[in-house]
């Protein structure tokens, strides 16, 4: 796969987070691990040092990754914000909650859409039990920090505290006034939003006594608007490009969010909480292709090629997960929900369907999991945002309606408009350059059957109605 992990650098930093306090609670409740779920917005697979970037500087994230298990084949269950977060919080594929995109499903010009897309649901259904609701009911103190995007009030979905969360998908501005985040007030005229959200997050940690806590830290960064952290900008303005990464303003946002995570980890360490805290690190979808590149992965956010759905991911749990370990086992963020329940010793809610699997045995290297297919379903349109983007199926859309399955090394994409099929062997062709559908009909047949069975099981809607406005061929 030719992934270059900065092994030496990671080991050098690994000791940074190895010192912990001896403060412990004696109660059974307090013995349950604290859980921190970090979900960065629009951070690409190679936008961090531990995945090989030589342009962006992320020493705190890299150090934490070095002390845990890094996953090289980690996926979001959708390629843009809202559906990805809905899958993460619910533990379910998109057809079960019907959040497929942000806003309307009829994106792009009507004349270019052959099919009438499935209607998109913009709000998480109330009857879908989310992971914070389960943890809250089990006695965890719960906090949502930063972007929520699934409903207007996170406090009604299992969170005791919300810091800046709402239905907003981006902040509007990282400098005051924070247009879409009016619930947090700036202490100074130029106070950066990402820093302020961490200030309030540390206040939350200070308020937690001996109860276990669940922190969902999902800063609006590094989503647009691209607004640089001014003090960091000179460092990157003359820095050499690496692997297509050269946006100095975006680089300051990446480094700054890394600094905030450093503050978080230091607060956990100094308070003695780090020793009993699990930290999941991921991103909600691929990087914005007009801003950052994930080469050799193809395309970026909004696409169902690898650049849109493969994510940087690691899990840290001092004393439970071996530092410096790595896994190539394909995992999905759908696996987080059952894994967290497993770690906390909490039973799955009655009648709750979880589409992922606990990966605790993988994390502890106690046993291997059976190979299983991973699925994506996108029965809607998402217009292009990069002019003449040759990395997508066509230059008009980041993706057209379709479904995707990955099983082992093989990945199949089925588009609904004309039943176009793409087949890739990711082990040999991680950049998805060579479509093998024509030369490997047996594998196409096998994966199509798996995909159709899955769609039947999940009652996944497939658009069939022709659009009368369509002017294509």
């Amino acid at each position: 796969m030719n992934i270059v992990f900065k092994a030496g650098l990671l080991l050098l930093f690994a000791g940074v987070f190895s010192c912990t306090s001896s403060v412990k609670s004696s109660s059974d409740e307090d013995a349950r691990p604290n859980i921190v779920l970090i979900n960065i917005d629009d951070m690409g697979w190679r936008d961090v040092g531990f995945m090989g970037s030589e342009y962006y500087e992320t020493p705190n994230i890299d150090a934490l990754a070095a002390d845990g298990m890094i996953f090289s084949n980690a996926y979001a269950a959708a390629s843009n914000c809202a559906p990805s977060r809905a899958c993460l919080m619910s533990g379910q594929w998109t057809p079960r909650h019907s959040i497929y995109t942000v806003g309307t499903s009829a994106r792009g010009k009507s004349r270019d859409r052959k099919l009438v897309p499935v209607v998109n649901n913009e709000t998480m259904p109330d009857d879908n039990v989310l992971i914070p609701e389960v943890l809250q009911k089990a006695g965890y103190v719960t906090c949502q920090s930063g972007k929520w995007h699934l409903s207007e009030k996170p406090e009604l979905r299992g969170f005791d505290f919300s810091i800046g969360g709402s239905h907003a998908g981006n902040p509007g501005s990282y400098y005051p006034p924070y247009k879409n985040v009016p619930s947090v007030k700036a202490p100074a005229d130029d106070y950066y939003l990402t820093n302020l959200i961490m200030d309030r997050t540390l206040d939350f940690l200070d308020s937690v006594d001996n109860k276990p806590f669940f922190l969902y830290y999902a800063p609006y960064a590094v989503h647009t608007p691209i607004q640089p952290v001014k003090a960091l900008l000179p460092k990157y303005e003359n820095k050499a490009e690496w692997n297509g990464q050269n946006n100095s303003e975006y680089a300051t946002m990446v480094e700054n969010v890394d600094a905030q995570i450093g503050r978080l980890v230091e607060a956990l360490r100094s308070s003695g909480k780090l020793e009993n805290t699990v930290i999941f690190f991921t991103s909600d979808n691929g990087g914005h292709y007009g801003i950052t590149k994930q080469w050799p992965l193809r395309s970026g956010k909004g696409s169902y090629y690898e650049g849109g759905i493969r994510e940087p991911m690691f899990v840290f749990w001092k004393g439970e997960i071996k530092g410096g370990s790595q896994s190539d086992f394909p995992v999905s963020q759908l696996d987080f929900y059952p894994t967290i329940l497993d770690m906390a010793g909490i039973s799955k809610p009655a009648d709750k369907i979880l589409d992922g699997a606990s990966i605790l045995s993988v994390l502890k290297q106690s046993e291997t999991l059976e190979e299983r297919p991973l699925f994506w379903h996108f029965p809607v349109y998402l217009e292009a945002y990069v002019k003449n983007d040759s990395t997508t199926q066509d230059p008009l859309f980041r993706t057209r309606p379709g479904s995707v399955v990955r099983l082992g090394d093989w990945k199949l994409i089925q588009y609904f408009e004309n039943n176009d099929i793409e087949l890739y062997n990711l082990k040999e062709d991680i950049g998805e350059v060579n479509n093998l559908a024509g030369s490997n009909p047996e594998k196409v047949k096998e994966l199509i059957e798996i995909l159709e069975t899955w769609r039947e099981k999940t009652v996944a809607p497939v658009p069939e109605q022709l659009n009368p406005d369509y002017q294509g061929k």
Side-chain angles (χ1 to χ4, degrees), residues 263-275:
R263 293 175 63 198
L264 173 65
V265 175
E266 174 56 26
L268 291 169
R269 185 200 61 77
S270 61
S271 66
K273 294 183 174 73
L274 186 62
E275 185 173 300

Side-chain angles (χ1 to χ4, degrees), residues 4-17:
V4 181
F5 291 109
K6 295 184 177 178
L9 178 63
L10 297 186
L11 292 175
L12 176 65
F13 279 107
V16 172
F17 298 109

Side-chain angles (χ1 to χ4, degrees), residues 373-400:
L374 300 179
F375 300 96
W376 294 263
H377 187 65
F378 194 79
V380 301
Y381 287 88
L382 192 59
E383 76 278 18
Y385 57 24
V386 177
K387 188 176 181 180
N388 299 322
D389 184 0
S390 62
T391 69
T392 52
Q393 186 202 22
D394 66 66
L396 299 177
F397 293 93
R398 279 177 273 173
T399 193
R400 292 177 180 264

Side-chain angles (χ1 to χ4, degrees), residues 189-239:
D189 290 343
D190 62 347
Y191 209 85
Y192 206 76
L193 177 62
T194 312
N195 301 35
L196 180 55
I197 287 175
M198 182 51 69
D199 292 346
R200 300 293 175 263
T201 302
L202 299 184
D203 290 341
F204 162 74
L205 291 180
D206 286 342
S207 73
V208 177
D209 295 322
N210 293 322
K211 274 193 161 187
F213 64 84
F214 170 62
L215 170 62
Y216 176 47
Y217 175 63
Y220 288 93
V222 288
H223 195 290
T224 53
I226 302 303
Q227 295 178 324
V229 179
K230 297 168 187 175
L232 298 176
L233 196 54
K235 175 194 295 188
Y236 291 97
E237 287 180 325
N238 296 311
K239 190 169 184 178

Side-chain angles (χ1 to χ4, degrees), residues 401-419:
S403 291
V404 182
V405 58
R406 172 177 175 170
L407 180 60
D409 295 328
W410 292 95
K411 177 181 175 184
L412 179 140
I413 305 173
Q414 179 187 33
Y415 296 100
F416 299 143
E417 288 184 326
N418 304 309
N419 197 35

Side-chain angles (χ1 to χ4, degrees), residues 41-60:
D41 200 343
D42 288 3
M43 175 175 273
W45 183 63
R46 304 201 81 175
D47 284 355
V48 285
F50 77 84
M51 291 306 298
S53 178
E54 296 178 13
Y55 185 72
Y56 306 121
E57 299 184 16
T58 55
N60 296 290

Side-chain angles (χ1 to χ4, degrees), residues 278-349:
V278 183
I279 300 177
F280 292 79
F281 178 92
T282 189
S283 172
D284 62 345
N285 48 246
H288 189 306
Y289 192 74
I291 298 168
T292 183
K293 305 296 187 287
Q294 310 307 311
W295 296 338
L297 301 190
R298 180 175 176 178
S299 200
K301 175 183 178 179
S303 165
Y304 283 82
Y305 294 115
E306 293 294 284
I309 54 176
R310 197 183 286 217
E311 311 304 331
M313 177 191 158
F314 67 82
V315 185
F316 165 92
W317 193 4
K318 196 68 180 177
E320 299 290 339
I321 297 173
K322 183 181 178 182
S325 55
Q326 297 179 10
S327 175
D328 293 327
F329 183 77
V331 297
S332 166
Q333 291 169 359
L334 295 170
D335 299 329
F336 287 16
Y337 196 135
T339 303
I340 288 170
L341 294 185
D342 207 359
M343 289 172 165
I346 300 171
S347 299
K348 178 177 74 70

